[in-house]
Amino acid sequence: MENLKITELIGRAPWREAVTYRHTWPHEYVLSHKDDQRELIELVCCRLRAGEGVKATFFGRPNTYLFIGDYKYWLMTHWDSINLDREHDYVLNRAHLYRDRRDFVIQEGDSGRREAYPHKPATSG
């Protein structure tokens, strides 16, 4: 039932393009208060607390990612620090999966866009 709820909320969320990374690593985001996405962010936090996330680094910065459908999701604030009762806006990001669930290895020419994926797959050593 929770899977149906989270996918329903994801489908209704007003995702917007992260303009800053439009040409380097395209993704979308929503905000907890401004976009009224507290329930969605709470469900993502619950799943991360339950251990469903995958730890990885992105350009050397550690984070935990959640995979749902064709997207990977991540928070800009650690889920244990999020307090949705506060008037602070928390950010939930998502990026389309273009390779597989291990698409965290970044190599030259790898921009995050499907059409720019390097011909030789990266190896995570």
Side-chain angles (χ1 to χ4, degrees), residues 7-98:
T7 55
E8 179 183 311
L9 292 172
I10 286 169
R12 290 192 316 219
W15 298 98
R16 63 171 135 294
E17 178 185 21
V19 180
T20 306
Y21 296 101
R22 176 183 288 151
H23 302 294
T24 56
W25 205 262
H27 66 281
E28 301 171 302
Y29 70 96
V30 292
L31 301 169
S32 59
H33 284 281
K34 183 177 181 183
D35 296 329
D36 195 24
Q37 296 302 305
R38 290 180 293 275
E39 187 177 9
L40 173 58
I41 291 175
E42 179 56 35
L43 286 176
V44 168
C45 289
C46 286
R47 292 183 73 170
L48 291 170
R49 282 187 204 104
E52 294 184 35
V54 175
K55 292 183 182 201
T57 58
F58 183 73
F59 287 106
R61 184 173 181 257
N63 209 332
T64 305
Y65 298 86
L66 181 65
F67 295 91
I68 302 171
D70 289 334
Y71 290 88
K72 63 182 172 190
Y73 295 82
W74 69 97
L75 296 159
M76 296 303 293
T77 304
H78 193 278
W79 64 87
D80 283 336
S81 300
I82 290 179
N83 179 353
L84 293 168
D85 293 330
R86 291 181 36 213
E87 289 299 316
H88 181 75
D89 252 330
Y90 296 101
V91 180
L92 174 62
N93 295 291
R94 78 175 184 175
H96 201 273
L97 294 173
Y98 67 99

